[in-house]
């Protein structure tokens, strides 16, 4: 067993560094490349039943310590995305299909098509901050319904991506687990906005977007800590502002079994190997054999 | 850093039918940009689009050349001196510095990102040969500007129009044999419709020409994280928009065949 191997329910990954949804994994070749660059798994761009052009530009604007985006789930629809995914899956890339829909049935249909294409699991995006589907993740009942319906329709693991834009994230996490979620991803971006003071115009085409990057890291760590503390049994995948191996370690200590990288790709693909190298070095230095010795240790220190 | 900086439009020139050149100043871009890199141009309340820079002048002066083809470009073309746009960048990889003898091939507004390269050649007093293709005289930009430069330093300047209203009748690629058989070039640069670039690429491959092309895709973030501008394994906004001939090998089967719309769907080019 390698130092960095991690287990997410029935999913076993060579390393815990996963490419977050919405980042780069838009084409089969893009997914292959991310795997070649060292990722443990790749989450696709969120896919809906029909193609979606996304929001008008600007869809991205930087802030002093993060990015605001309002992409609006642009995707070619599941039919074309499943062809892209199949290209990567045939080459052995561990792909997780990110699913969204405008009805429970759409979630089910897209998840089933991803399963047929060969993904190792699906991640339900019920938390996109600038799309209506994001409202699902703010409501226990809707979360339960969507997760349950997808669980009943596919055999592969179902991961649920949670939003921090709620009063109590642990409550939603427990509801997702009750509905059968095999793992949880936390967090999606935090709602935000930027206005150009010279012209008075909101900068993003969709006006309101989601904040990612270093600015949201403490929020993400807190959310993961709270979810873990709530007694959730399923593994948590931590995401939100991880820019280096120390950040990744912090997420593991808060209770994540794996981590996702998004905004940090602004620094280039090498961020994946840098995080892996840093974690390996830390484990060697501290004579640790497996990641399970780190995961959640912050809870034991209290 | 990746936030639009508001600039005042200094002047707007009619370049050709439905094509305008918009001048503005931005020190951040002008101090860093190399020919071939692109910028993101924000038209507040409308859209933000990637644009090649068509002039890199003194005193931070820059220009973009825009053809009115959609809502955002129509609005850009309707802007007047004193209006505002937002800009961020420069982004991507530009062209290699010119050699001692250079061939520059542009198709329509594809000539825009090549113009600063020509300006650079003129400043550096190196040989520059230019081929420009367009639909007709009235729709082909930069003819006048290039003719002015011709008076000083362009070694050869040839224009083709599809309807024969100016220069030779036909496509710019029809001139390749004529120009390349008579001369050898240290660098060949091209930008224009992808089918034109595909033809130039295949031609250059056969003759081992030192080609660099600038490609185009739907760009959203401009900083390499959204994945909307992939062409094969390359992100146009980071690894491109300029590619050297050896790099094109990896996308040989896609070049001139497919592009992607804003959703990422494949769209045939032919």
């Amino acid at each position: 067993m390698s130092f960095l191997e991690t287990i997410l329910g029935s999913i076993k990954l060579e390393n815990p560094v996963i490419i977050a949804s919405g980042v780069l994994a838009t084409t089969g070749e893009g997914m292959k490349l991310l795997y070649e660059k060292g990722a443990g798994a790749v989450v696709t761009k969120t896919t809906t039943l029909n193609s979606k052009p996304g929001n008008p530009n600007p869809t991205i604007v930087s802030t002093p310590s993060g990015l605001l985006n309002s992409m609006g789930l642009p995707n070619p629809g599941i039919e074309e995305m499943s062809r892209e995914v199949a290209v990567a899956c045939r080459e052995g890339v561990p792909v997780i299909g990110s699913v969204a829909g405008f009805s429970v049935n759409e979630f089910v249909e897209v998840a089933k098509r991803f399963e047929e294409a060969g993904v190792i699991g699906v991640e339900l995006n019920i938390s996109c901050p600038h799309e209506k589907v994001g409202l699902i993740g703010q409501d226990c009942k809707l979360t339960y319904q969507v997760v349950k319906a997808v669980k009943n329709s596919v055999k592969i693991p179902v991961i649920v991506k949670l939003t921090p834009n709620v009063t109590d994230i642990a409550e939603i996490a427990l509801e997702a687990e009750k509905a059968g979620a095999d793992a949880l991803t936390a967090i999606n971006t935090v709602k935000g906005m930027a206005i150009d003071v010279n012209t008075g115009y909101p900068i993003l085409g969709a006006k309101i977007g989601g904040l990612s990057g270093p600015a949201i890291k403490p929020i993400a760590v807190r959310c993961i800590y709270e979810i873990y503390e709530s007694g959730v049994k399923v593994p948590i995948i931590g995401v939100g502002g991880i820019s280096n191996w120390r950040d990744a370690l912090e997420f593991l200590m808060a209770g994540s079994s794996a981590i996702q990288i998004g905004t940090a790709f602004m620094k280039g693909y090498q961020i994946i190997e840098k995080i892996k190298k840093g974690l390996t070095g830390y484990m060697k230095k501290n004579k640790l054999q497996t990641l399970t010795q780190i995961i959640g240790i912050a809870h034991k220190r209290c | 850093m990746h936030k639009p900086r508001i600039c005042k439009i200094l002047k707007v020139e009619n370049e050709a039918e439905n094509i305008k050149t918009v001048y503005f100043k931005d020190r951040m871009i002008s101090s860093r940009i190399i020919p071939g890199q692109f910028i993101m141009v924000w038209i507040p309340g409308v859209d933000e689009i990637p644009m090649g820079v068509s002039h890199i002048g003194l005193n931070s002066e820059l220009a973009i050349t825009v053809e009115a083809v959609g809502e955002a470009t129509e609005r850009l073309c309707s802007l007047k001196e004193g209006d505002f746009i937002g800009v961020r960048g420069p982004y991507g990889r530009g062209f290699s510095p010119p050699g001692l003898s250079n061939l520059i091939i542009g198709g329509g507004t594809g000539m825009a990102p090549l113009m600063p390269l020509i300006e650079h050649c003129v400043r550096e007093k190196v040989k520059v040969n230019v081929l420009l293709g367009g639909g007709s005289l009235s729709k082909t930009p930069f003819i006048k500007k290039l003719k002015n430069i011709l008076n000083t330093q362009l070694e050869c300047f040839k224009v083709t129009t599809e309807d024969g209203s100016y220069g030779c009748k036909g496509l710019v690629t029809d001139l390749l044999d004529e120009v390349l058989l008579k001369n050898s070039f240290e660098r060949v640069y091209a930008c224009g419709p992808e089918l034109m670039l595909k033809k130039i690429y295949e031609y250059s491959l056969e003759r081992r020409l030192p080609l660099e092309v600038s490609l185009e895709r739907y760009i959203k973030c401009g900083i390499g994280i959204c994945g909307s501008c992939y062409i094969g394994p390359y992100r146009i906004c980071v690894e491109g928009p300029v590619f050297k001939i050896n790099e094109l090998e990896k996308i040989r089967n896609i070049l001139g065949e497919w592009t992607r719309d804003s959703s990422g769907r494949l769209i045939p080019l032919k």
Side-chain angles (χ1 to χ4, degrees), chain B residues 126-197:
Chain B
V126 293
K127 288 178 188 168
V128 56
N129 294 261
V130 178
L131 307 181
L132 170 62
S136 64
L137 171 64
S138 61
K139 290 179 179 163
T140 309
F142 305 117
I143 293 180
K144 210 171 133 193
K145 273 184 191 147
L146 288 167
K147 267 170 45 185
N148 284 340
I149 298 173
L150 176 71
N151 288 336
T152 57
Q153 204 173 331
L154 282 180
E155 206 169 56
C156 128
F157 173 45
K158 286 184 194 296
V159 180
T160 61
T161 50
E162 285 169 56
D163 67 356
S165 53
Y166 188 84
C168 311
K169 187 175 178 177
L171 300 172
V172 72
T173 45
D174 299 339
L175 299 177
L176 291 178
D177 269 335
E178 184 192 326
V179 176
L180 284 153
L181 289 177
K182 273 193 264 169
N183 307 278
S184 65
F185 297 99
E186 202 175 321
R187 297 240 192 281
V188 181
Y189 306 94
C191 182
E194 204 164 302
L195 283 165
M196 166 193 133
L197 298 178

Side-chain angles (χ1 to χ4, degrees), chain A residues 225-226 228-229 253-255 296-302:
Chain A
Y225 189 86
E226 282 182 354
Y228 193 92
E229 197 74 12
M253 288 175 167
I297 63 164
H299 298 266
K300 293 171 195 151
R301 300 276 191 263
C302 303

Side-chain angles (χ1 to χ4, degrees), chain A residues 208-230:
Chain A
I208 288 173
L211 183 64
S212 62
I216 69 161
K217 201 195 81 181
I219 301 174
V221 173
R222 181 267 297 171
C223 285
I224 289 147
Y225 189 86
E226 282 182 354
I227 295 168
Y228 193 92
E229 197 74 12
S230 75

Side-chain angles (χ1 to χ4, degrees), chain A residues 280-294:
Chain A
T280 308
Y282 173 85
M283 290 176 73
K284 280 186 179 160
K285 195 175 160 197
N286 291 281
K287 302 195 168 47
L288 300 169
Q289 298 304 311
T290 74
L291 283 182
T292 50
Q293 293 171 278
I294 306 173

Side-chain angles (χ1 to χ4, degrees), chain B residues 52-116:
Chain B
V53 170
S54 60
H55 168 67
I56 304 171
L58 301 168
N59 302 325
S60 316
E61 194 181 81
L62 299 156
I64 50 174
T65 300
V66 195
E67 182 169 12
V69 289
E71 197 197 350
T73 48
E74 271 164 22
R75 185 69 76 89
L76 252 181
C77 283
S78 72
L79 295 177
K80 303 271 173 298
E81 184 185 326
D83 288 342
F84 294 95
I85 52 171
V87 293
R88 60 184 176 100
Y91 295 126
R93 270 193 336 170
F95 294 108
S96 306
L100 291 175
S101 60
N102 307 282
L103 175 63
I104 290 174
I105 311 165
T109 46
M111 186 53 106
L114 295 163
M115 291 299 286

Side-chain angles (χ1 to χ4, degrees), chain B residues 36-53:
Chain B
Q37 284 188 299
F38 72 96
I39 61 171
M40 296 298 287
V41 178
W42 180 41
I43 311 110
V46 183
D47 205 346
E48 183 187 47
I49 51 174
M51 297 284 322
V53 170

